[in-house]
Amino acid sequence: MKRRGTMNPERDKELIRPDRSASDRLVGLGGEFRSQQQEQAFRWDRLGETMVHGRWLLIASAVLNTLFFASDWRFYGMSQFWIAIPARTLVVAASLLCWLAVRRCRTPDAMNRVMAAWMVLTTVGVTALVSSHSELALFVVLLLPMIFYLGVPLPFRWTAAASACASAALMTGYEAPAGTHGAGLGLALALLTLNCCLALVLAQSNRFRRLEWHATRTARAIADELAVSRETMEKMFAAAPVPMVVTAREDGRILHANDACAIMFGIAPEMIGTHSFHEHYVDPGERERLIARLEKDGRVIDFEMQARCAAGVQRTVLVKAATIDLPAGRATIAGIIDISDRKAVELSLEWLASTDPLTKLPNRLSFFSTARAEMMRAIRLHRPLALLMIDLDHFKVINDTFGHHGGDMALKAFGALCLERLRGTDIIGRLGGEEFGILLPDTDVTEALAIAEKLCADLRALRLPTPNEALQLSASIGLTLVRRDDRDLDMALARADRALYAAKRAGRARVFCEPADIEAVPLRAAN
């Protein structure tokens, strides 16, 4: 049965257009998508996994709370016994009933309602349980909000509200009657701290899951676009009239050409039988390779070459050719398909897949792919290789002060500065947000420090015009050298990242290099 709300290809494209970074689509407090449509798409996509998670949580609650009946039996004969047993029964019954209800859920909203009901009933039951002031009561007061935050698959605002209410109810139940423990304020502060920390953990988890989901869908969309583009082009070529030409094997004279071929190559009727097709090969050696393959296999499929068409225009063509025997001798019949547009589309899509659209720098995937190859080359040839990790300082302040337009302008300016100042052999990429990576081949520590400090100084000298005031930029840079014992690029990145944060702790707008890379390297602030 097809579930209501399942995504369709057209809506998928609308939701994952690469015109903004995925992190800009998330709400900072809860880590969820700003767009309700996109958040719903995420929840529908993860509904099956969420239902499995919820069922396991509920059945675990039922089983564990059933086992706790043995612990509650120690209250037998005491007034707490008649509180603990009904309360525990409520928790077990709520878990089982909600487990059955989850199995019937078909929408994210229905799932949310069931889990919220379980949280309410569990809170009521556990509040009664902690009123016994047993040895485990205080532990349960602190544990239940953790279970709600870390275990219950609900929207952030639902989880935060339910956990806050549960904490208040549990503290009230634990402290009743008033004055029993005299630690009400301390417990309240502890619960407040716990809720704040767990909210941050849940928000970060939400962000990671949604960024991963968005990245996966984006990659899938790009792959689908490439596949659709190829398929569309092939269908268009198959449906269009294909230029056909028959040439003599001996001297390449044009024996016959259809109208499409005549238009494409500017072949006039009087040229048939007298004109050679040789001059339409941009590289004469390509005809020799084509003939050699024909001699070997009798036919050629998908031979790509550069052809000189009408008015001297060069085009990339795909040739399908076979040998035929004519009364006048052996000849070659070839179908010629102009694939210049398809090649341009493929190159464009490849560029989009490997380039950050905002800064026009290689994106994270492209940078890591190139960087790993360069690292292996440097280690193999015993050549120095320096790595810079760069972070634009106070980028959040820039966004808050000048808006996202100002932040985008800062990123573009830094990307343009790197392209202008760095060498052609240097490898740069935007790793995410305001963080960049640069590999400097054949560069030792002294040279790398000079390059990094010059980049810092040039960046500080920039003044970006804004409506109110000029925007001034600075950057913190961590530097390290790739070592022979580095098993992979991540080891060097970790060192550069540590150096970057050391530069930030030292006051930003400076370059820092780990002492292991160079002895007694001081913190160097850009002038």
Side-chain angles (χ1 to χ4, degrees):
M1 181 177 69
K2 185 177 180 181
R3 290 177 178 172
R4 179 168 55 86
T6 302
M7 300 304 297
N8 59 67
E10 291 302 320
R11 187 167 60 185
D12 284 354
K13 293 179 181 178
E14 179 66 21
L15 291 176
I16 56 177
R17 289 177 301 180
D19 57 342
R20 300 171 58 192
S21 72
S23 59
D24 289 342
R25 300 171 181 264
L26 301 177
V27 177
L29 179 61
E32 297 174 342
F33 287 113
R34 293 180 183 275
S35 167
Q36 288 299 318
Q37 184 184 13
Q38 196 160 22
E39 181 66 22
Q40 279 296 101
F42 171 79
R43 293 190 179 280
W44 273 104
D45 205 38
R46 302 292 292 270
L47 180 59
E49 178 184 342
T50 302
M51 291 177 63
V52 171
H53 179 98
R55 289 199 299 268
W56 277 108
L57 173 65
L58 294 169
I59 200 65
S61 173
V63 170
L64 292 174
N65 278 282
T66 300
L67 295 177
F68 267 106
F69 275 117
S71 174
D72 295 335
W73 197 257
R74 71 185 187 278
F75 295 124
Y76 183 73
M78 302 169 60
S79 60
Q80 290 92 332
F81 180 79
W82 301 109
I83 298 175
I85 295 301
R88 189 74 67 184
T89 302
L90 173 63
V91 175
V92 173
S95 300
L96 292 174
L97 289 174
C98 290
W99 178 74
L100 293 173
V102 165
R103 295 173 62 88
R104 302 176 66 86
C105 289
R106 293 296 180 267
T107 68
D109 290 340
M111 179 72 182
N112 291 342
R113 288 192 293 270
V114 171
M115 296 309 299
W118 176 78
M119 293 171 75
V120 171
L121 294 173
T122 300
T123 298
V124 172
V126 175
T127 299
L129 285 169
V130 299
S131 66
S132 66
H133 309 298
S134 66
E135 299 86 347
L136 293 176
L138 181 59
F139 173 73
V140 172
V141 170
L142 299 175
L143 178 64
L144 189 62
M146 297 176 63
I147 294 174
F148 284 177
Y149 268 110
L150 303 180
V152 181
L154 277 178
F156 179 83
R157 63 183 184 277
W158 289 38
T159 301
S163 298
C165 293
S167 295
L170 291 171
M171 186 184 72
T172 302
Y174 182 74
E175 285 296 315
T180 300
H181 298 281
L185 179 59
L187 181 59
L189 292 175
L191 286 171
L192 177 61
T193 302
L194 179 65
N195 275 264
C196 291
C197 292
L198 291 173
L200 292 175
V201 171
L202 179 60
Q204 185 180 44
S205 174
N206 285 342
R207 290 180 64 84
F208 286 157
R209 289 164 58 198
R210 282 157 178 79
L211 289 173
E212 179 186 20
W213 177 80
H214 185 273
T216 300
R217 289 168 65 86
T218 301
R220 188 186 308 155
I222 292 175
D224 289 344
E225 286 182 11
L226 283 168
V228 169
S229 175
R230 291 176 184 273
E231 183 181 358
T232 301
M233 288 294 180
E234 294 298 338
K235 287 181 178 178
M236 291 174 60
F237 295 150
V242 178
M244 302 288 292
V245 62
V246 180
T247 59
R249 176 68 61 85
E250 182 180 357
D251 55 12
R253 285 180 301 110
I254 299 175
L255 303 178
H256 179 75
N258 63 3
D259 292 342
C261 183
I263 294 172
M264 181 176 182
F265 292 97
I267 300 174
E270 60 271 16
M271 298 171 64
I272 302 297
T274 59
H275 181 71
S276 174
F277 201 78
H278 289 179
E279 66 181 54
H280 295 290
Y281 288 87
V282 174
D283 178 7
E286 289 183 331
R287 180 181 185 275
E288 296 175 3
R289 290 191 289 274
L290 177 63
I291 296 301
R293 289 179 57 180
L294 284 170
E295 292 289 348
K296 178 182 178 182
D297 302 325
R299 63 175 58 245
V300 170
I301 300 175
D302 296 343
F303 183 85
E304 188 175 318
M305 55 172 279
Q306 296 294 314
R308 186 176 290 107
C309 300
V313 177
Q314 291 188 16
R315 306 287 288 178
T316 303
V317 299
L318 201 63
V319 179
K320 298 180 182 290
T323 298
I324 57 174
D325 291 323
L326 298 178
R330 302 188 72 190
T332 300
I333 180 171
I336 303 171
I337 303 174
D338 184 353
I339 62 169
S340 300
D341 293 338
R342 188 182 78 179
K343 296 291 288 187
V345 169
E346 290 176 353
L347 291 174
S348 176
L349 290 174
E350 289 174 4
W351 183 88
L352 286 173
S354 63
T355 305
D356 173 50
L358 180 63
T359 62
K360 303 302 186 290
L361 297 175
N363 60 18
R364 183 183 184 90
L365 179 63
S366 178
F367 174 80
F368 275 86
S369 176
T370 307
R372 287 191 175 96
E374 181 60 33
M375 173 183 171
M376 299 305 296
R377 185 197 72 86
I379 293 175
R380 185 176 67 255
L381 300 179
H382 304 281
R383 303 297 299 171
L385 179 62
L387 172 63
L388 306 180
M389 290 285 288
I390 304 171
D391 194 277
L392 296 185
D393 294 332
H394 305 296
F395 190 73
K396 184 179 184 302
V397 176
I398 293 175
N399 274 331
D400 293 342
T401 305
F402 300 94
H404 287 294
H405 174 71
D408 290 348
M409 184 167 58
L411 294 172
K412 290 178 182 178
F414 181 72
L417 179 67
C418 290
L419 292 175
E420 178 183 349
R421 296 289 193 270
L422 296 177
R423 303 166 299 184
T425 56
D426 297 334
I427 301 168
I428 181 171
R430 183 184 178 193
L431 305 186
E434 67 275 19
E435 191 173 56
F436 299 82
I438 299 177
L439 271 181
L440 304 173
D442 300 318
T443 305
D444 59 24
V445 172
T446 303
E447 294 171 326
L449 280 171
I451 292 172
E453 290 171 354
K454 181 66 166 60
L455 192 60
C456 262
D458 290 343
L459 182 62
R460 287 179 62 85
L462 284 179
R463 296 293 185 275
L464 304 181
T466 65
N468 298 321
E469 58 179 301
L471 172 57
Q472 183 177 355
L473 304 177
S474 66
S476 301
I477 301 180
L479 186 155
T480 189
L481 287 183
V482 174
R483 303 171 185 171
R484 288 189 56 79
D485 58 350
D486 285 340
R487 294 187 299 274
D488 53 42
L489 184 62
D490 291 339
M491 297 179 68
L493 285 169
R495 293 196 304 273
D497 199 51
R498 288 196 299 270
L500 170 62
Y501 280 94
K504 284 182 169 292
R505 288 193 298 270
R508 294 185 170 87
R510 61 193 64 222
V511 182
F512 184 82
C513 178
E514 284 199 334
D517 289 317
I518 180 173
E519 292 185 3
V521 175
L523 296 176
R524 300 176 179 241
N527 295 326

